[in-house]
Amino acid sequence: MTDGSTLLKNIDYSRSLAKIVQLPLPWEKLRGKRILVAGATGLIGSYLVDTLMSVQKDLKMDFTVLALGRNTEKLENRFSGYRSNGNFRAFSQDITAKLNCELEGLGADFVFILASNTHPVDYATKPVSTILTNILGANNLLDYAARHETERVVYASSVEVYGENRGDTEKFAEAYCGYIDCNTLRACYPEGKRAGEALCRAYRAEKNLDIVIARLCRTYGETMQMSDTKAISQFIKNALEKQDIVLKSDGKQLYSYLHVADSVSALLYCLFYGRNGEAYNVADEKSDITLKELAELIAKTVGVDVVFELPDPTEKAGFSKATKAVLDSAKLKSLGWKAMFDLQSGISHSLNILEGLK
């Protein structure tokens, strides 16, 4: 994982954070608050933490960020630039286990639940961890939020809760429900997210928690981990090495993608403007594309070719079976959100930053 202080020194990265800080959001609501980010070292969580810390710095605002991650070394490395900042606290925490006593004593006003295994090899090799993080981990954090009377929880769900398109819609709206074969290894992720959403509903009804659900599409960006096995992450890694882009299917799958900056700004719109108990699709139509077209776009950007290769059994076991998973984001856009990046600009932005970090 890239050292966080090095990433923060990258001009393009700092500018993208500044664009979010400049959004017309009611940042004053964060003043004097504690904001907990579970899954803080992940693709989206780390970008969210950097955004919140930029709000503190650029707007001279006093609030505390509590960053939770499973791996102490990753936490220390990723957030090394905040070590001397009294408004930042990092906690090494497996959310499926009993929460840290010090953390319990602090409480949080806002909670972002972002922790999850989110790529195919993990689904195939760590299915127990994947489903327990999304069910037991979510339960522990929701229970924590209820005990501390948290003002709002934002739960990061996934396009995967919709399952396979039944062929009766072009785009998934929030009320749609497709088919998931629960008797498969890979079901650990989508079924875990479905159960996580059900837990949110249960805590809202029984514990009076204020909760907003963000159903994220496939997210990419410069905060990706090099161990990420999602197709788009593999394409980006190939591109960085100026190697041919390896496509391990016919590439006809049509999906929604979004740059991490836009996923983070969407989470913030859900925090500030989302309605209690509602779910919001996080996507933008300018970034809907087939896997083959995506591979070709990235290949053209760096001047390499697309080649086809059969996946190994472990990779194949973790692949999504969905052939069309495009999100209707009208509900989110009604809150005032809009994407800053289309697919071409987002890919180029990510590659430029990652290239500068090599």
Side-chain angles (χ1 to χ4, degrees):
M1 173 177 283
T2 302
D3 183 281
S5 59
T6 303
L7 184 57
L8 289 170
K9 291 174 185 175
N10 184 282
I11 294 174
D12 289 332
Y13 186 68
S14 295
R15 284 175 178 167
S16 63
L17 294 174
K19 285 182 179 179
I20 301 178
V21 177
Q22 292 160 9
L23 290 171
L25 290 168
W27 299 113
E28 279 292 325
K29 291 184 177 181
L30 302 183
R31 193 178 294 279
K33 305 294 186 179
R34 291 196 188 105
I35 306 165
L36 185 150
V37 180
T41 58
L43 167 69
I44 298 173
S46 61
Y47 203 105
L48 175 60
V49 169
D50 284 342
T51 300
L52 292 170
M53 298 306 290
S54 294
V55 170
Q56 282 188 13
K57 180 183 176 183
D58 297 349
L59 302 184
K60 296 180 173 53
M61 193 167 293
D62 182 26
F63 58 84
T64 302
V65 175
L66 310 175
L68 272 62
R70 279 181 295 188
N71 187 296
T72 302
E73 184 179 352
K74 281 185 178 180
L75 275 170
E76 292 177 350
N77 185 46
R78 181 61 182 79
F79 302 119
S80 57
Y82 307 133
R83 283 175 186 154
S84 60
N85 190 321
N87 286 327
F88 176 82
R89 300 285 302 279
F91 293 88
S92 179
Q93 175 69 61
D94 178 350
I95 62 168
T96 65
K98 184 178 180 180
L99 296 186
N100 181 293
C101 291
E102 188 177 0
L103 179 64
E104 280 284 5
L106 289 174
D109 300 288
F110 302 112
V111 173
F112 288 89
I113 303 179
L114 307 177
S116 179
N117 295 337
T118 58
H119 60 99
V121 168
D122 273 355
Y123 306 153
T125 62
K126 301 175 183 176
V128 174
S129 170
T130 297
I131 196 166
L132 288 183
T133 299
N134 284 308
I135 299 177
L136 182 56
N139 180 72
N140 286 342
L141 290 170
L142 290 167
D143 194 44
Y144 165 89
R147 288 196 304 276
H148 291 284
E149 299 182 343
T150 292
E151 290 181 36
R152 169 156 283 186
V153 174
V154 177
Y155 178 75
S157 187
S158 168
V159 58
E160 300 245 10
V161 300
Y162 293 109
E164 296 183 41
N165 192 313
R166 300 191 303 262
D168 54 352
T169 186
E170 287 298 310
K171 294 187 175 184
F172 296 146
E174 283 79 1
Y176 190 81
C177 189
Y179 170 73
I180 294 174
D181 183 354
C182 62
N183 193 28
T184 64
L185 180 63
R186 197 190 180 283
C188 61
Y189 182 68
E191 293 288 19
K193 283 298 185 186
R194 280 188 171 183
E197 287 199 20
L199 271 171
C200 288
R201 287 284 181 183
Y203 269 89
R204 181 172 177 267
E206 188 171 328
K207 304 291 185 178
N208 202 32
L209 263 184
D210 183 304
I211 301 174
V212 178
I213 295 167
R215 291 177 180 157
L216 296 155
C217 69
R218 288 164 170 82
T219 300
Y220 68 93
E222 55 272 15
T223 49
M224 60 177 267
Q225 299 186 42
M226 290 300 124
S227 59
D228 192 334
T229 58
K230 290 194 291 291
I232 190 167
S233 300
Q234 294 293 307
F235 295 169
I236 289 172
K237 284 191 285 185
N238 288 149
L240 287 171
E241 299 301 323
K242 300 298 187 289
Q243 298 174 349
D244 289 339
I245 306 303
V246 180
L247 189 58
K248 298 187 177 183
S249 69
D250 61 13
K252 293 180 181 178
Q253 305 94 317
L254 177 62
Y255 296 145
S256 293
Y257 293 89
L258 202 61
H259 185 271
V260 62
D262 290 320
S263 292
V264 165
S265 69
L267 291 173
L268 291 165
Y269 270 84
C270 287
L271 175 72
F272 290 122
Y273 296 128
R275 291 182 59 186
N276 182 14
E278 294 290 319
Y280 295 86
N281 285 339
V282 178
D284 181 66
E285 65 275 3
K286 294 190 297 294
S287 294
D288 295 343
I289 194 170
T290 67
L291 203 56
K292 184 173 183 290
E293 290 169 336
L294 176 62
E296 291 170 344
L297 183 154
I298 296 175
K300 184 177 180 181
T301 301
V302 297
V304 297
D305 295 322
V306 176
V307 298
F308 293 86
E309 182 180 296
L310 292 174
D312 65 41
T314 300
E315 289 174 321
K316 191 173 182 179
F319 285 178
S320 171
K321 299 298 188 292
T323 57
K324 187 175 184 180
V326 179
L327 293 178
D328 180 344
S329 58
K331 188 175 176 183
L332 176 66
K333 289 179 178 178
S334 73
L335 302 180
W337 176 86
K338 62 181 179 180
M340 296 182 289
F341 293 97
D342 60 22
L343 199 53
Q344 178 65 74
S345 63
I347 291 294
S348 297
H349 179 79
S350 300
L351 286 171
N352 287 338
I353 292 174
L354 289 167
E355 183 66 37
L357 297 175
K358 286 171 65 178

